Amino acid sequence: MSLPATPAAVVSHVLAFPAPTPEQSCDYMAAKLSYHADAWDVAEDLRNGIEAIVVIDTRSAAHYAAGHVPGAVSFPHRTMDAQSTAQLDRSKVYVTYCDGIGCNGSTKGAYKLARLGFQVKEMLGGLDFWIRDGQPVATGPEPGRMPAARPAIECAC
Protein backbone atom coordinates (compact mmCIF):
# COMPACT_ATOMS: atom_id res chain seq x y z
CA MET A 1 0.00 0.00 0.00
CA SER A 2 1.41 3.39 -0.97
CA LEU A 3 0.93 6.72 0.76
CA PRO A 4 -0.86 9.53 -1.09
CA ALA A 5 1.48 11.93 -2.81
CA THR A 6 2.05 15.18 -0.96
CA PRO A 7 0.82 18.18 -2.90
CA ALA A 8 3.43 20.46 -4.40
CA ALA A 9 3.97 23.68 -2.54
CA VAL A 10 1.33 26.19 -3.57
CA VAL A 11 2.80 29.50 -4.63
CA SER A 12 0.80 32.69 -4.21
CA HIS A 13 0.65 34.86 -7.27
CA VAL A 14 -0.66 37.74 -5.15
CA LEU A 15 2.21 37.50 -2.68
CA ALA A 16 4.95 36.92 -5.25
CA PHE A 17 5.74 40.57 -4.62
CA PRO A 18 5.45 41.50 -0.94
CA ALA A 19 2.70 43.86 0.10
CA PRO A 20 3.83 47.38 1.03
CA THR A 21 3.84 48.57 4.58
CA PRO A 22 0.69 50.36 5.75
CA GLU A 23 2.61 53.65 5.60
CA GLN A 24 3.72 52.98 2.01
CA SER A 25 0.15 52.10 1.04
CA CYS A 26 -1.17 55.27 2.66
CA ASP A 27 1.35 57.46 0.81
CA TYR A 28 0.69 55.74 -2.52
CA MET A 29 -3.11 55.88 -2.23
CA ALA A 30 -3.00 59.55 -1.21
CA ALA A 31 -0.84 60.30 -4.24
CA LYS A 32 -3.18 58.33 -6.49
CA LEU A 33 -6.18 60.28 -5.21
CA SER A 34 -4.28 63.51 -5.89
CA TYR A 35 -4.13 62.67 -9.58
CA HIS A 36 -7.64 61.30 -10.12
CA ALA A 37 -11.28 61.99 -9.34
CA ASP A 38 -14.18 59.68 -10.06
CA ALA A 39 -17.37 60.66 -11.88
CA TRP A 40 -19.47 60.56 -8.73
CA ASP A 41 -17.21 62.96 -6.83
CA VAL A 42 -17.08 65.34 -9.81
CA ALA A 43 -20.90 65.25 -10.06
CA GLU A 44 -21.27 66.02 -6.34
CA ASP A 45 -18.90 68.99 -6.62
CA LEU A 46 -20.78 70.32 -9.64
CA ARG A 47 -24.12 69.89 -7.82
CA ASN A 48 -22.74 71.68 -4.78
CA GLY A 49 -21.41 74.58 -6.84
CA ILE A 50 -17.77 74.05 -5.91
CA GLU A 51 -16.06 76.88 -7.78
CA ALA A 52 -12.51 75.69 -7.15
CA ILE A 53 -12.76 73.16 -10.00
CA VAL A 54 -13.32 73.52 -13.72
CA VAL A 55 -14.34 70.41 -15.64
CA ILE A 56 -12.86 70.21 -19.13
CA ASP A 57 -14.07 67.98 -21.94
CA THR A 58 -10.91 67.31 -23.95
CA ARG A 59 -12.71 65.75 -26.94
CA SER A 60 -13.59 67.44 -30.22
CA ALA A 61 -16.30 70.11 -30.34
CA ALA A 62 -18.55 67.70 -32.26
CA HIS A 63 -18.27 65.02 -29.57
CA TYR A 64 -18.86 67.64 -26.88
CA ALA A 65 -22.03 68.86 -28.62
CA ALA A 66 -23.31 65.27 -28.91
CA GLY A 67 -23.15 64.86 -25.13
CA HIS A 68 -21.05 66.15 -22.25
CA VAL A 69 -20.90 66.58 -18.48
CA PRO A 70 -23.28 69.43 -17.60
CA GLY A 71 -21.17 72.47 -16.75
CA ALA A 72 -18.06 71.14 -18.47
CA VAL A 73 -16.13 73.44 -20.79
CA SER A 74 -15.22 72.24 -24.27
CA PHE A 75 -11.45 72.50 -24.68
CA PRO A 76 -10.08 69.87 -27.07
CA HIS A 77 -6.62 68.74 -25.98
CA ARG A 78 -5.32 69.23 -29.52
CA THR A 79 -5.84 73.00 -29.17
CA MET A 80 -4.18 73.42 -25.78
CA ASP A 81 -1.07 75.58 -25.80
CA ALA A 82 0.31 78.64 -24.02
CA GLN A 83 -1.80 81.01 -26.11
CA SER A 84 -5.11 79.14 -25.82
CA THR A 85 -4.73 78.72 -22.04
CA ALA A 86 -3.60 82.29 -21.32
CA GLN A 87 -7.03 83.31 -19.97
CA LEU A 88 -7.45 80.28 -17.66
CA ASP A 89 -7.57 80.96 -13.92
CA ARG A 90 -4.45 79.49 -12.34
CA SER A 91 -6.13 79.31 -8.92
CA LYS A 92 -8.52 76.58 -10.16
CA VAL A 93 -8.04 72.82 -10.38
CA TYR A 94 -8.86 71.57 -13.87
CA VAL A 95 -10.53 68.15 -14.11
CA THR A 96 -10.12 66.64 -17.57
CA TYR A 97 -12.16 63.87 -19.14
CA CYS A 98 -12.69 62.20 -22.51
CA ASP A 99 -14.77 59.23 -23.76
CA GLY A 100 -13.52 56.63 -21.30
CA ILE A 101 -10.79 54.16 -20.54
CA GLY A 102 -10.13 53.49 -24.23
CA CYS A 103 -9.36 57.16 -24.87
CA ASN A 104 -6.33 59.09 -23.65
CA GLY A 105 -7.55 62.58 -24.52
CA SER A 106 -8.03 63.40 -20.84
CA THR A 107 -4.48 62.29 -20.07
CA LYS A 108 -3.09 64.36 -22.95
CA GLY A 109 -5.12 67.37 -21.82
CA ALA A 110 -4.04 67.00 -18.19
CA TYR A 111 -0.42 66.62 -19.30
CA LYS A 112 -0.54 69.74 -21.47
CA LEU A 113 -2.22 71.82 -18.76
CA ALA A 114 0.21 70.61 -16.08
CA ARG A 115 3.14 71.35 -18.35
CA LEU A 116 1.79 74.89 -18.71
CA GLY A 117 1.65 75.28 -14.93
CA PHE A 118 -1.98 74.42 -14.11
CA GLN A 119 -3.18 72.10 -11.35
CA VAL A 120 -4.99 69.13 -12.86
CA LYS A 121 -6.82 65.93 -12.07
CA GLU A 122 -8.16 63.35 -14.45
CA MET A 123 -11.72 62.01 -14.16
CA LEU A 124 -11.53 58.22 -14.15
CA GLY A 125 -13.57 56.46 -16.82
CA GLY A 126 -14.54 59.64 -18.64
CA LEU A 127 -18.02 60.16 -20.03
CA ASP A 128 -18.55 56.39 -20.12
CA PHE A 129 -18.30 56.03 -16.32
CA TRP A 130 -20.26 59.29 -15.90
CA ILE A 131 -23.17 57.73 -17.78
CA ARG A 132 -22.76 54.38 -15.97
CA ASP A 133 -23.17 56.28 -12.69
CA GLY A 134 -26.54 57.51 -13.96
CA GLN A 135 -25.45 61.14 -14.18
CA PRO A 136 -27.17 63.51 -16.62
CA VAL A 137 -25.69 64.49 -19.97
CA ALA A 138 -25.99 67.90 -21.61
CA THR A 139 -26.06 68.33 -25.38
CA GLY A 140 -25.25 71.21 -27.68
CA PRO A 141 -22.38 73.68 -27.79
CA GLU A 142 -23.13 75.32 -24.40
CA PRO A 143 -21.91 73.92 -21.05
CA GLY A 144 -25.34 73.79 -19.44
CA ARG A 145 -25.76 73.31 -15.70
CA MET A 146 -25.65 70.33 -13.42
CA PRO A 147 -29.16 69.67 -12.06
CA ALA A 148 -29.56 69.69 -8.28
CA ALA A 149 -31.41 66.36 -8.27
CA ARG A 150 -29.25 63.31 -7.70
CA PRO A 151 -29.65 60.20 -9.86
CA ALA A 152 -31.81 57.35 -8.56
CA ILE A 153 -28.69 55.17 -8.51
CA GLU A 154 -26.55 55.76 -5.43
CA CYS A 155 -22.80 55.50 -5.43
CA ALA A 156 -21.81 52.04 -4.27
CA CYS A 157 -18.49 53.11 -2.79
Side-chain angles (χ1 to χ4, degrees):
M1 175 179 218
S2 63
L3 296 172
T6 56
V10 178
V11 177
S12 170
H13 294 281
V14 172
L15 300 176
F17 295 91
T21 65
E23 293 78 17
Q24 289 170 321
S25 288
C26 185
D27 290 345
Y28 174 78
M29 296 305 165
K32 190 173 175 181
L33 290 168
S34 295
Y35 293 102
H36 298 108
D38 70 7
W40 193 271
D41 290 343
V42 171
E44 287 298 297
D45 277 7
L46 289 172
R47 270 192 196 87
N48 292 324
I50 304 299
E51 294 182 9
I53 68 166
V54 175
V55 180
I56 294 182
D57 187 316
T58 63
R59 303 171 303 151
S60 70
H63 280 92
Y64 176 86
H68 59 270
V69 170
V73 176
S74 177
F75 195 174
H77 72 85
R78 295 179 193 279
T79 66
M80 292 178 181
D81 59 25
Q83 184 178 1
S84 66
T85 61
Q87 299 304 315
L88 293 181
D89 184 344
R90 292 188 179 272
S91 71
K92 307 281 186 183
V93 172
Y94 293 88
V95 180
T96 62
Y97 76 90
C98 56
D99 283 332
I101 60 173
C103 175
N104 66 4
S106 60
T107 304
K108 289 177 179 178
Y111 170 78
K112 288 177 180 180
L113 290 171
R115 210 166 157 192
L116 292 165
F118 296 94
Q119 290 184 297
V120 296
K121 286 192 173 204
E122 190 175 14
M123 187 173 83
L124 296 170
L127 191 61
D128 179 32
F129 282 21
W130 179 268
I131 293 168
R132 287 183 193 202
D133 275 355
Q135 303 297 347
V137 174
T139 57
E142 297 300 320
R145 292 183 54 97
M146 185 67 172
R150 287 174 171 71
I153 302 169
E154 288 293 325
C155 181
C157 37

